[in-house]
Amino acid sequence: MRRLGHHRIHGKTGGVGTKGMVAKLSIGVIVLLICTLSLLFSFNIGGSPEPSRPSKINVEELWESADSGGWRPSSAPRSDWPPPTKETNGYLRVRCNGGLNQQRSAICNAVLAARIMNATLVLPELDANSFWHDDSGFQGIYDVEHFIETLKYDVKIVGKIPDVHKNGKTKKIKAFQIRPPRDAPIDWYLTTALKAMKEHSAIYLTPFSHRLAEEIDNPEYQRLRCRVNYHALRFKPHIMKLSESIVDKLRSQGHFMSIHLRFEMDMLAFAGCFDIFNPEEQKILRKYRKENFAEKRLIYNERRAIGKCPLTPEEVGLILRAMRFDNSTRIYLAAGELFGGERFMKPFRTLFPRLDNHSSVDPSEELSAKSQGLIGSAVDYMVCLLSDIFMPTYDGPSNFANNLLGHRLYYGFRTTIRPDRKALAPIFIAREKGKTAGFEEAVRRVMLKTNFGGPHKRISPESFYTNSWPDCFCQMNPKKSSDKCPPDNVVEILESRLESVGDPDSTSQTNSTVTGLER
């Protein structure tokens, strides 16, 4: 079940006499060496074999979680992790730009930046002028109390920068504004940013999207990112309740799949995939691209041939049909307004008529009013997280899909279907030219080579937020000490260290934190 394929190596031997024997012996030694190396490399960096790929696609197995290979999620500290000091170096403000999931990654980076600089983090600001034009803010989307409580062993967090009272006078601290470089290394925060913080008492980093390097050679820092992303960032209770209600209704009739159908104007304009649309639609896409993206010469046929175009709804349906999902499959669509309208959805709907979105499952007033805002996106995120299978159709540039892939991996290796657009492109192009013989078998061969949600090594350009294995996972019976799970009393250890610092809030509720850290 879901195991990586084994490759046999065949060597020809020949010759007579001593030369033939030497040749055979040499080849035998080479084959033995290759087989030995193959055996070594068949084990992952944690010393455990990665789950191997199946020889055929079994739909019933896909409804279950992928093979964990003996790993489980764990983001609790595994080495010395002192609590934040009573006095910090100053205050850190950040403005997180972009949509909900780009902002989510920025919040993780902000917490880590505060830890690196020994700073007090001010609740991150969510850009009201971002894609959604939504002014809900951090307090309107996330459970603030849970966020602060869960991270109390890592950083100090305040709602706003407090005034300074001295000699009977009140003074406001004005944060010094800095534009951090993209993917800034830790050294930048320990030098440029920290120097400004000590000089001005507070700094304001804006914009703060992708402003801290993802690949950091410090497992504890990476685990802190996971604690923020998968434990501290919990949506507000009414969003969670709404999401769970939708999931319950969908699951009342059996398994369901969620699909992030990224066939919207912004992504199509970004990709430069115009030719399948009529002249008026192409004009709209070109105008949007000119206004929002850097000028670049993009040729549709070339882009599509290398898998740079989003899958059309029909292509998504054809992939699922080739994988042997039938028309009784219930599908939840997480998508904005599909560009091109019903004519692109009709072929998909013909193949899979049981389609839903959050508005059709729960046509509540709250969702109807904010379906295209951060709350609607948050509900879609939770439903996709909890679905039995998740399928992104354009995961490369999509923060929503990338974050969900990482969260589902951490949530228990939940099944994902990730179409290899580059490998599928020639198959779809051939079909459009009338070459339909063997189409479904060709699609299945491509899909068999993909990962269905099990642990796998992160290879660039895959993001840490898409795949935090093995940093944020552990093994009960590890081959390497670095993969050993933390002790069961890790929370008590962290709590005692926090109390030794003298934090007056250190004895507050810890139930939510215990649950979060030990999962």
Side-chain angles (χ1 to χ4, degrees):
M1 171 178 170
R2 300 183 188 156
R3 305 202 168 163
L4 295 176
H6 299 282
H7 301 277
R8 291 186 181 178
I9 299 169
H10 300 275
K12 290 184 178 180
T13 60
V16 293
T18 305
K19 288 185 179 181
M21 290 178 65
V22 171
K24 288 181 180 179
L25 182 60
S26 299
I27 291 171
V29 170
I30 292 170
V31 170
L32 180 61
L33 179 61
I34 292 173
C35 289
T36 303
L37 290 173
S38 297
L39 179 63
L40 290 173
F41 283 106
S42 72
F43 289 82
N44 59 39
I45 59 174
S48 298
E50 290 186 6
S52 49
R53 294 185 185 122
S55 57
K56 64 179 182 178
I57 295 173
N58 186 319
V59 170
E60 290 305 312
E61 287 184 359
L62 290 179
W63 289 117
E64 306 298 328
S65 293
D67 187 352
S68 71
W71 294 86
R72 70 174 178 85
S74 174
S75 56
R78 297 176 207 174
S79 59
D80 186 44
W81 187 255
T85 58
K86 194 171 184 179
E87 298 295 329
T88 64
N89 288 318
Y91 295 93
L92 172 63
R93 279 181 62 198
V94 300
R95 179 177 67 85
C96 305
N97 53 306
L100 177 71
N101 292 281
Q102 186 169 308
Q103 292 172 351
R104 190 181 183 101
S105 301
I107 294 167
C108 298
N109 287 342
V111 172
L112 179 53
R115 173 76 189 194
I116 290 168
M117 294 188 288
N118 187 26
T120 298
L121 177 66
V122 182
L123 276 180
E125 301 168 20
L126 306 188
D127 188 1
N129 297 313
S130 63
F131 177 77
W132 293 116
H133 303 288
D134 190 314
D135 60 358
S136 300
F138 192 98
Q139 294 90 333
I141 297 294
Y142 295 108
D143 186 331
V144 173
E145 184 179 346
H146 176 80
F147 182 75
I148 295 173
E149 175 70 17
T150 302
L151 296 173
K152 68 179 182 178
Y153 305 115
D154 306 301
V155 292
K156 286 183 178 292
I157 303 173
V158 295
K160 63 179 183 178
I161 299 176
D163 297 336
V164 176
H165 302 281
K166 191 174 182 180
N167 299 327
K169 295 181 178 179
T170 300
K171 180 184 177 183
K172 291 188 178 296
I173 299 175
K174 185 178 181 181
F176 180 71
Q177 185 169 319
I178 307 174
R179 183 185 181 91
R182 187 177 176 88
D183 298 321
I186 289 177
D187 283 350
W188 184 86
Y189 286 91
L190 291 173
T191 53
T192 304
L194 186 56
K195 181 181 177 182
M197 179 177 287
K198 288 181 176 179
E199 183 179 345
H200 300 279
S201 299
I203 58 173
Y204 181 35
L205 303 184
T206 176
F208 200 70
S209 171
H210 305 288
R211 302 296 157 167
L212 178 58
E214 276 193 19
E215 294 301 330
I216 296 175
D217 190 20
N218 185 322
E220 292 298 3
Y221 282 171
Q222 298 293 57
R223 282 191 275 272
L224 175 55
R225 277 174 160 157
C226 289
R227 287 200 291 282
V228 181
N229 205 6
Y230 306 134
H231 299 296
L233 282 175
R234 186 170 70 186
F235 295 122
K236 290 184 75 68
H238 71 283
I239 296 175
M240 298 294 285
K241 185 177 179 181
L242 196 56
S243 306
E244 289 165 4
S245 171
I246 291 173
V247 170
D248 288 344
K249 289 176 181 177
L250 290 167
R251 191 159 283 141
S252 66
Q253 298 180 37
H255 295 299
F256 78 96
M257 174 192 303
S258 62
I259 297 178
H260 185 220
L261 197 54
R262 202 66 169 96
F263 201 71
E264 298 138 327
M265 180 170 65
D266 64 319
M267 192 54 73
L268 290 163
F270 169 79
C273 300
F274 307 147
D275 289 29
I276 59 174
F277 298 99
N278 63 41
E280 185 59 32
E281 290 167 341
Q282 289 189 34
K283 184 178 178 181
I284 294 170
L285 289 172
R286 293 183 194 282
K287 182 176 182 291
Y288 187 93
R289 179 171 178 83
K290 186 176 181 180
E291 293 174 350
N292 293 277
F293 303 111
E295 187 176 346
K296 188 177 181 181
R297 184 172 177 267
L298 301 174
I299 301 173
Y300 170 74
N301 290 338
E302 294 178 0
R303 300 284 289 171
R304 192 180 179 207
I306 58 174
K308 294 295 184 182
C309 288
L311 294 170
T312 67
E314 181 181 20
E315 288 171 342
V316 174
L318 290 170
I319 292 169
L320 293 176
R321 181 55 61 88
M323 293 177 69
R324 305 270 168 75
F325 286 96
D326 62 34
N327 62 4
S328 69
T329 305
R330 191 161 195 186
I331 297 174
Y332 178 90
L333 293 179
E337 184 177 354
L338 266 64
F339 193 75
E342 182 59 24
R343 81 174 189 277
F344 282 98
M345 275 302 296
K346 188 176 180 180
F348 185 32
R349 202 183 302 278
T350 300
L351 290 168
F352 295 95
R354 300 184 71 195
L355 300 179
D356 280 299
N357 58 27
H358 57 227
S359 297
S360 66
V361 180
D362 190 332
S364 64
E365 186 176 334
E366 180 178 17
L367 270 180
S368 298
K370 297 188 176 182
S371 63
Q372 294 301 313
L374 291 177
I375 290 178
S377 183
V379 169
D380 276 347
Y381 185 94
M382 286 306 303
V383 176
C384 289
L385 174 63
L386 298 173
S387 64
D388 299 295
I389 297 173
F390 172 62
M391 180 180 183
T393 61
Y394 199 56
D395 53 308
S398 171
N399 291 299
F400 182 94
N402 287 339
N403 278 15
L404 266 168
L405 288 168
H407 205 156
R408 287 178 64 87
L409 193 77
Y410 189 86
Y411 197 61
F413 302 105
R414 299 176 78 84
T415 298
T416 58
I417 296 174
R418 300 176 69 178
D420 183 342
R421 296 189 307 278
K422 185 176 181 179
L424 288 167
I427 301 171
F428 281 119
I429 291 170
R431 180 180 180 273
E432 289 164 14
K433 293 178 179 178
K435 300 175 182 177
T436 57
F439 168 78
E440 289 197 348
E441 180 58 32
V443 171
R444 279 194 292 274
R445 281 199 300 269
V446 169
M447 296 307 297
L448 275 169
K449 296 177 182 177
T450 63
N451 182 284
F452 289 112
H456 60 282
K457 188 175 181 180
R458 184 170 66 254
I459 299 174
S460 181
E462 190 173 37
S463 164
F464 175 80
Y465 292 106
T466 303
N467 178 11
S468 62
W469 184 87
D471 310 70
C472 297
F473 295 81
C474 69
Q475 287 187 308
M476 298 304 293
N477 299 299
K479 300 282 185 179
K480 293 170 59 178
S481 59
S482 59
D483 296 328
K484 184 179 179 181
C485 291
D488 292 337
N489 65 337
V490 62
V491 176
E492 287 80 358
I493 295 170
L494 294 171
E495 187 69 30
S496 64
R497 288 176 179 172
L498 184 62
E499 289 175 353
S500 69
V501 175
D503 190 328
D505 296 326
S506 64
T507 57
S508 60
Q509 298 179 34
T510 60
N511 290 340
S512 60
T513 309
V514 171
T515 302
L517 287 173
E518 290 185 343
R519 275 195 300 185

